[in-house]
Each structure stands twice: as structure tokens, then as C-alpha cells.
Amino acid sequence: MIEQYVWDLQEVDETQVAVVGGKGAHLGGLSRIEGIRVPAGFCVKTDAFRRIMAEAPSMGDRLDQLSRLNPDDRQAIRTLSAEIRRTIEEIAIPGDLAAAITRALARLGEQAAYAVRSSATAEDLPTASFAGQQDTYLNVVGPTAILQHVSRCWASLFTERAVTYRQRNGIDHRTVHMAVVVQQMVFPHAAGILFTADPVTGNRKVATVDAGFGLGEALVSGLVNPDVFKVRHGEVVAKAIAVKQRAVHALPTGGTQEVAIDSQRQEQPALTDAQVVRLVRLGRRIEAHFGRPQDIEWCLVDDGFQIVQSRPITTLFPIPETGDQENHVYVSVGHQQMMTDPMKPLGLSMWQLTAMAPMHTAGGRLFVDVTRRLASPASRAGLLDLIGRGDPLVRDALETVLDRDDFVPSLPDRGTGGPPAGGAPAPIETDPAIVTELIERSRVSIAALESGIRTKTGPALFDFLLEAFEEHKRVLSDPLSMQAIMAGMEATWWLNDKLLEWLGEKNAADTLTLSAPDNVTSEMGLALLDVADVIRPQPEVVAFLQGVEDEGFLDELAKLAGGAEARDAMEAYLDRYGMRCVGEIDITRPRWRERPSTLVPVILDNVRNFEPGAAGRRFEQGRQRARKKEQDVLSRLRALPDGDRKADEAKRMIDRVRTFIGYREYPKYGIVSRYFVYKQALLEEAERLVQANVLPEKEDIFYLTFQELHDVVRSNQVDDQLVQQRKDAFRSYHALTPPRVLTSDGEAVTGAYRRDDVPAGALIGLPVSAGTIEGRARVILDMAEADLEAGDILVTTFTDPSWSPLFVGIAGLVTEVGGLMTHGAVIAREYGLPAVVGVGQATRLIRDGQRIRVHGTDGYIEILP
């Protein structure tokens, strides 16, 4: 019988989260799986919670007040949430509601022992587990005690940790409701957690079982270390048996108690291997039912397993969908492009449509499948060499996968369907006119795009864009462009290898590339120094910029003394570089032209930290240092045996580096310039959809793929539910850390540097720009919040070209992501900044304001006392 306020667990399934909360819905679903035993019980529905909340005085005002609190204001949250909990617990449960609960108890046995468990509607979700946020009470005996604990569960929706968790995850307190699950207690011999995927590596083929004696509370609370078993393909492949000195047992009168375990049992396994394998088999059945890896709480009673909870594991990085059962190895695109944040669906699909290689999506990130290239010995060697020069961690991760038995199949060389990976294009002459011609080709192509797109709207715009994407790829794959890029990179590698061999000097090419010509990204940083030169003499303008809060400030600027010149200088800068922004490979990210206030803190830092004419001086100083380095290297080479030949070869390569290395940054500038043209056209189309009441707001198009948006424009209909699902998913992706290498088993392979030549305690990374510097670490995660002084060392997750205006004002660079030829490394070398990239967890291990020493030649960082 279904009552208004109480449902039996057998009447519930996982679709009813809104009625019985996440835990209740999952338990109901579990109870319907053949062969899975769930302790009998019932759910007190969310209707009961709503009724209680409606009776609470001024609850609406308090929830409004709670929503306005800063998640970091722990004292205010603690005080207000305690007040709300006290109010809820003091409300007497209405007679009809209490009667419904006691009737359900009578059916199961009034004087039996029960677990009374919170079950919130925002709990055990695919994107947020909320594990441990609300309360559970074990071994509760008697109707009076059970009613009291039901009230406590309702109140636990407002524990300090639950309130903070919701605020950090952008969940409105009013939208979350609390059900309560009341279940018969089980008194287990052993209990614990089963993860149907390895929670550390993400491997979906490896299940992990944590087990201890007595109730599972001992493990969950951290009272004891569990036995840990790993199971793969139906057999225990690893185990670690802990010394278990304590357990939690239920008391006959209610409640629980810690007890000491007999010394002879302490080192005995809580489960036999056969029991572990049997438990994992049950777990696989549960996983198949829910369609995703599960975190399962289990109890062993009389050699039978009872399942008391199952929730999705929300920390696993998703696996790209392939539709086959083959093994695949994926390499992260974001780690190459300096953008490891999640991208919105329009951004992902636009990059896929304009990229030179097929790309797969997972967790809001892009990946390239390198399985076939790893499968053939020749293409494997080329790929590992190319990747290893750029990012040794990716190479090491790939080699780790290759060392696994038969994960990557072996194919004959001719089976790869193309030339070996990393095969160099034909060489070209060292001629600056080549770079000039390539830049002009790109400029003409973008001008044609801007001209052609102006008149296009509706479906015709999308037809035009599909053709534009082909032109986009044609420009990117221009053989001459590829030759120029490779010429600069290969000459750099040659110089570093040969000068280390001949002169014993590491990374000599770093100095030789200072102030190389035609580098559009380093020019962008210097050009902002010129903007600061215009603003510095105008105190009214400087004062005005210090208070800028909205994007209309450029128009206001012209009304001030000296403001017209300042505005013109900023407008000219935006005309040339306004298409750039942080995370620019995602077309949905706001560009500087759309949000010019982003540049204001950097301009003000430049005004404060530099003298007039700094840009020209910086560039000339770099050029002179590079020339002096060249003379020094050549004279030392000539003094060696066969020195004239070595010097002549080195001189040819130095000329080659200085001719071509600057162009390395230009193709990305061309891509982003095109992106801004595409974006403006798509936003105009979105505006038409808003006017036609198809979309509520323009930015909703960012949550559709290009093809889906094309369909919306044709049909004038949009799936609002899909857009909302995409927004929720995108928010959840921020909590995921994308791996450099990911397998189709779901294993995130991190890679290691394998070095023993660094001091104890040092943070290891990849040396990308020579020199050693000491200074204050500034840990900056958002460029708009940068507040830098001369001599500071920038520590951040990644830097794409948009960060280069900050580079002119810092003394060194440390990033978590990066390689030898990624943008941050190239610009650090151009500016002569010691830099170490690929430093795992640098932004957590280095505190803002700490003094650090960056060893840019040897690739490590010391944290100074």
C-alpha cells in the first residue's frame, strides 16, 4: 500500500529521487535486482520534510540569508545553519505523519533495531555524490527514538558541511529536500566498501574492496585501516591485510560502541579471497543495473552479503565513446594546447570540425586516439620521440601502457595507413621572406572570411561556415607552414643537442631565441607596455581605470583629460589582439574585445612597474643578448678540434632558429582570429533566435554542438531540457582532473620524470627556459586577478598566449601543464624568463607569497625557508 508520507522500499526505484532522495531511490533500485539482498525498510518521503519546513517560522527568510553568505565565511554559515537545524528539530511531528511512520514500523517489528538514514534529493547523483554530507544513525530502537532521529535527519540537510558543499556546487538550498530511509539493522561479521572501478587510477576493469570487522562505521570514520583487495577478471590480483585493532559493534539497548579486537584476529583477513570474488560479482551486477561504476556499502552476515548503499563514483574521468570493445589509448589535447579546463559543447564541436586530426570528447575535454600509431613499431618510435621532446610525462605514460601485456596490439608498419608519426616535412631555405609570405597568406584568407560572412544568415550561414572550416584546415595544413614550424623546432633541438655534446652547455638555444622576429605572441605582451606608456602620464585616466567594474568603460574614458588618447591606444590594441582570451581554443570563452576589463589590471601593473619606452628596450636588450650569445658560442666552437666546421653548422642553425621560431606562434593566432569571426556570426544568429522566442538567452547556444545549433536554426525549435542537462554536466566537469593519457579501461596514466639528479624535496618539472631565479611566488589562477610586482615568479596551472602580457612583468614561470614547444615555454624563452613547466600540483604545493628558486636549466623548483 502506498501512503501519502511513507513508501516501502520495495515500492521505490531509482527514478524517484525527487520523492525519496538519492539514497532511497538507489536502495529501491537495488532491492529490485535479482540476487541482491537489501535490508527491509521504508522511506519517509520528501512531502513530509516540506510539511515540516512549512511549519518552521521565518524559514524562507533564513534560507535567503544562507544563500547570500560567502562559502568561505565558515563562522556565519556555522551559526545560521545550527539555528536552522535547532528550529527543525524542535518542531513536533504532526500526529498523522507520526502515525504513518509507526504503522510502517509495526509491519517490520516495532522493537527491532533500525538504521535511520538521511536521503537528500541532491545526493548520490551521477555528477555529485554528496557523500557524508548528511547524517545516519545506527541501531535505533523503539518508535519514540526513531521519530526523534527522523527529525535529526531532516535537520542534517543544514549541517555546515552540507550547506558549504551546495554553495560551492551552485545548488540552491530551496531546491533540495530531505527524505529519510528507515531500515532494519544488520549485525555483520564484516563490512566495508566495494568500488567497481579503481578509485585511484580510474581503471574500470579493476574492482577494489575495503573490508574490516564489525560495522562499516569503523572504516568510514577512519578508526581502522581496512584490508584492501583488488580484483581483475574474477581473481584477486593484489591484497594488503591491515592490523585491525578496533571495530564498531551495535549495543543491545541501541547505539554503537567501539570494541577492541582479540589480538589473534587482528591480522586475519576480514574476507576470504573467495568471498571477495563473490562480492565483486554482485558489484558487477549492480553496476550493470545502474549503467555506471558504483561505490557500494556492503555487510557480511552468515556468509551472505547484504547491500546497504550504492552510489555512482563521481570522481572518475569519463571514457570517450567508441562503440567497439577494442583497446584504445588517448592523449589529452588540452595538455598540448594549454587549456585543461572543460570546454562547452559548441567549443568542443568547433575544434573537432577545424582540427587536423579526429578528436574524441570526454569530461568536457578533447583527446586524440593514438592506438594505431603506437601499434606499429616505426610510427610508434616517431610518435614517442616527438611527444617526448615536448612533454616527457606523456611519453612516460605511453611507455607505461606499452609495457602492459598486449594492451596495444602489434601491427605491421604498413598497417598504419599513413607515414610514420613525426616524420619531418621536406626542408626549406633559411629565408625570412617565407615567413612574410605565410603571414600574408593567412591575412588574406581571414579578410576573405570576414568579407564573405557579412551577408550570411540562417541555414545559409551554416553552409558558408562548413566551407570556411575546410579553408581553415587548408591554411593550417599548408605544407610551407608545416615546413617553417618544423624548421624552427628542429633547429632548436639540433642546437641544444650539439651544444651540449660539443660545449657541455644545457639548453643553449634558449638564449639564442631571445627577441626572435615575427613572434605575434611576444609582440602582444610588449604592445601592452606601449599602451601603458600612453596612460601613465594621465593621472585621471589611471584613477578611473582603478575603479573599472563593467565593460562600457572605453566610452567613458574619452570624457577624461587624456582619455581619448588612452581609449585610442586600447582600441588599437584590441583591433590587433582583441580576439584572444584565456582558454581561447574554446570559442565560447569571452574574448578581450568582448570583455576588455580583463586587460585593465595588467595595464595598471605595467603603469606601476615600468618606465616609458620599456617595450623597445626589452626587445633590443633581448636581441643584443642573443647576438652576444651567438658570438660566444661560435668563438668557443672554433677553438675545438674541427672547430670551423662545427661553428659553420651552428651558425646555419642559429640563423634558421631566428628566422623560423617566431612563426611557431602564428598559426594559433590565425585560428583564434578566425574563431572570433565565426563566433560573432553565430551570436548574431543566436540573437535572432532570442528575438523569435526560440531561446531564452544568447549564450544557450554554447551548450549545443555546431550541428545541433544548425538544426535549431532550421527548425526554430530547441530542446530546453538538453540545454539544462548540458549546463549541469559542464558544471560537474570542473571537478574532474583530465589525465595526460587515458585508456579505454578508464585508467588515467600520469607518467613520471624518472630523475634522481635533483635535491631532496624539490618539485620536478620540465626545463623549458634556461636560468636560475629566486623570488616571491604569485599563485594566480585567473589572469584578471593578477597583481604582480617586478621580480615576482608566476605560478599557475597553464598559460596560453593570452597570458603573455603578464610575462613582461615577471622574473620566472612555473606551470602545472606544458611542454618544450607549448606557448608559455616559447614566450618564456623569447623574454629570457627562467621557466619550469609540467610541475604536478604546483599551485597546491607552492603557497602564494612563498619564496622559491626556479632552476630553468635543470628543471626543478626549490621552496625556500
Side-chain angles (χ1 to χ4, degrees), residues 144-184:
T144 304
I146 284 167
L147 288 171
Q148 181 186 17
H149 285 86
V150 167
S151 284
R152 287 183 181 172
C153 283
W154 287 330
S156 76
L157 190 63
F158 297 98
T159 61
E160 180 189 345
R161 63 184 181 272
V163 167
T164 303
Y165 191 93
R166 285 197 295 275
Q167 286 185 256
R168 291 197 191 285
N169 282 275
I171 295 170
D172 183 349
H173 301 300
R174 291 171 177 276
T175 63
V176 185
H177 304 290
M178 180 68 86
V180 181
V181 175
V182 180
Q183 272 180 295
Q184 286 181 337

Side-chain angles (χ1 to χ4, degrees), residues 512-523:
L512 295 167
T513 58
L514 288 171
S515 299
D518 299 312
N519 188 318
V520 70
T521 307
S522 60
E523 287 167 5

Side-chain angles (χ1 to χ4, degrees), residues 363-377:
R365 277 78 168 191
L366 291 162
F367 294 87
V368 173
D369 186 344
V370 295
T371 319
R372 288 186 69 78
R373 290 165 78 177
L374 289 174
S376 151

Side-chain angles (χ1 to χ4, degrees), residues 55 68 77 188 234 297 335 375 430 525 543 545 701 712 820 833 835 846:
E55 295 193 14
R68 287 194 294 269
I77 289 175
E297 293 181 26
H335 285 80
T430 304
L545 290 176
I701 68 167
V712 169
L820 200 59
L833 301 173
I846 300 171

Side-chain angles (χ1 to χ4, degrees), residues 203 473 485 518 586 773 862:
N203 194 324
K473 288 195 277 191
I485 291 168
D518 299 312
D586 182 352
I773 192 76
E862 291 178 283

Side-chain angles (χ1 to χ4, degrees), residues 214-291:
L215 292 167
E217 288 302 289
L219 303 190
V220 174
S221 64
L223 180 66
V224 297
N225 290 325
D227 297 339
V228 180
F229 301 84
K230 292 193 181 294
V231 176
R232 184 183 178 98
H233 299 318
E235 80 178 277
V236 175
V237 292
K239 61 181 167 183
I241 306 305
V243 177
K244 299 171 287 295
Q245 296 177 330
R246 317 284 294 167
V248 174
H249 285 176
L251 293 168
T253 54
T256 60
Q257 179 183 41
E258 274 183 42
V259 296
I261 294 175
D262 186 285
S263 58
Q264 293 176 333
R265 288 183 64 218
Q266 287 180 5
E267 295 185 43
Q268 285 181 5
L271 296 177
T272 66
D273 283 10
Q275 287 171 327
V276 169
V277 170
R278 184 151 46 95
L279 173 61
V280 169
R281 207 173 295 132
L282 294 175
R284 292 289 177 220
R285 197 176 295 177
I286 294 168
E287 179 183 66
H289 175 84
F290 288 118

Side-chain angles (χ1 to χ4, degrees), residues 257-457:
Q257 179 183 41
E258 274 183 42
V259 296
I261 294 175
D262 186 285
S263 58
Q264 293 176 333
R265 288 183 64 218
Q266 287 180 5
E267 295 185 43
Q268 285 181 5
L271 296 177
T272 66
D273 283 10
Q275 287 171 327
V276 169
V277 170
R278 184 151 46 95
L279 173 61
V280 169
R281 207 173 295 132
L282 294 175
R284 292 289 177 220
R285 197 176 295 177
I286 294 168
E287 179 183 66
H289 175 84
F290 288 118
R292 64 180 67 235
Q294 297 287 300
D295 162 357
I296 297 165
E297 293 181 26
W298 55 268
C299 296
L300 179 67
V301 185
D302 300 329
D303 199 38
F305 288 102
Q306 297 211 30
I307 305 301
V308 294
Q309 188 160 342
S310 186
R311 60 166 75 92
I313 307 176
T314 58
T315 54
L316 298 176
F317 200 86
I319 306 170
E321 292 179 15
T322 56
D324 64 36
Q325 299 301 308
E326 304 295 316
N327 288 349
H328 294 270
V329 182
Y330 302 99
V331 171
S332 163
V333 172
H335 285 80
Q336 315 304 312
Q337 290 293 338
M338 297 295 90
M339 165 58 177
T340 54
D341 291 346
M343 295 167 68
K344 295 190 176 96
L346 186 63
L348 292 166
S349 65
M350 292 286 277
W351 192 264
Q352 284 174 303
L353 286 164
T354 53
M356 300 310 299
M359 292 189 179
H360 305 263
T361 65
R365 277 78 168 191
L366 291 162
F367 294 87
V368 173
D369 186 344
V370 295
T371 319
R372 288 186 69 78
R373 290 165 78 177
L374 289 174
S376 151
S379 65
R380 178 191 310 150
L383 177 69
L384 291 175
D385 181 56
L386 192 65
I387 280 180
R389 284 184 179 277
D391 189 339
L393 290 178
V394 176
R395 176 177 182 142
D396 187 73
L398 290 176
E399 287 177 332
T400 300
V401 175
L402 287 166
D403 286 343
R404 308 264 165 81
D405 291 344
D406 302 327
F407 187 84
V408 176
S410 264
L411 295 175
D413 289 343
R414 56 189 169 73
T416 60
I428 51 174
E429 292 301 311
T430 304
D431 182 359
I434 292 172
V435 173
T436 307
E437 181 190 342
L438 285 167
I439 290 172
E440 180 59 15
R441 283 187 196 179
S442 177
R443 192 195 64 75
V444 168
S445 177
I446 291 167
L449 170 67
E450 290 172 331
S451 169
I453 206 168
R454 283 196 188 107
T455 57
K456 304 295 187 292
T457 62

